[in-house]
Amino acid sequence: MEKILVNSENYYGKYVAIKTADDNTIVGEGVTPQEALNKAKKNGFINPFLLYVPNKNLVHIYYVN
């Protein structure tokens, strides 16, 4: 089963924070991990999943605790 985590070309080259591994709602984004996490925290999400989207069809996944 394939799951698309970030379905937008707007996030290439950026870090993206999503709610959870099961809910890929974007709660923050930025050019640095800290920027994406700060936006997520400002939106009320303390422990989001952090993704880096270098280019189309490739995602690096980080879990921040």
Side-chain angles (χ1 to χ4, degrees):
M1 183 173 96
E2 183 177 322
K3 181 176 180 181
I4 298 173
L5 294 173
V6 178
N7 189 17
S8 174
E9 295 180 5
N10 296 332
Y11 299 106
Y12 296 158
K14 292 185 178 181
Y15 290 87
V16 177
I18 61 175
K19 283 184 177 183
T20 66
D22 294 322
D23 183 344
N24 63 338
T25 301
I26 295 171
V27 295
E29 55 84 19
V31 295
T32 66
Q34 195 61 48
E35 184 180 359
L37 291 173
N38 285 343
K39 287 181 180 180
K41 287 179 183 177
K42 184 177 178 181
N43 289 323
F45 297 92
I46 305 303
N47 291 317
F49 269 75
L50 185 63
L51 314 173
Y52 178 67
V53 186
N55 55 44
K56 190 173 184 175
N57 298 323
L58 183 63
V59 173
H60 298 172
I61 302 172
Y62 306 89
Y63 178 69
V64 180
N65 189 5

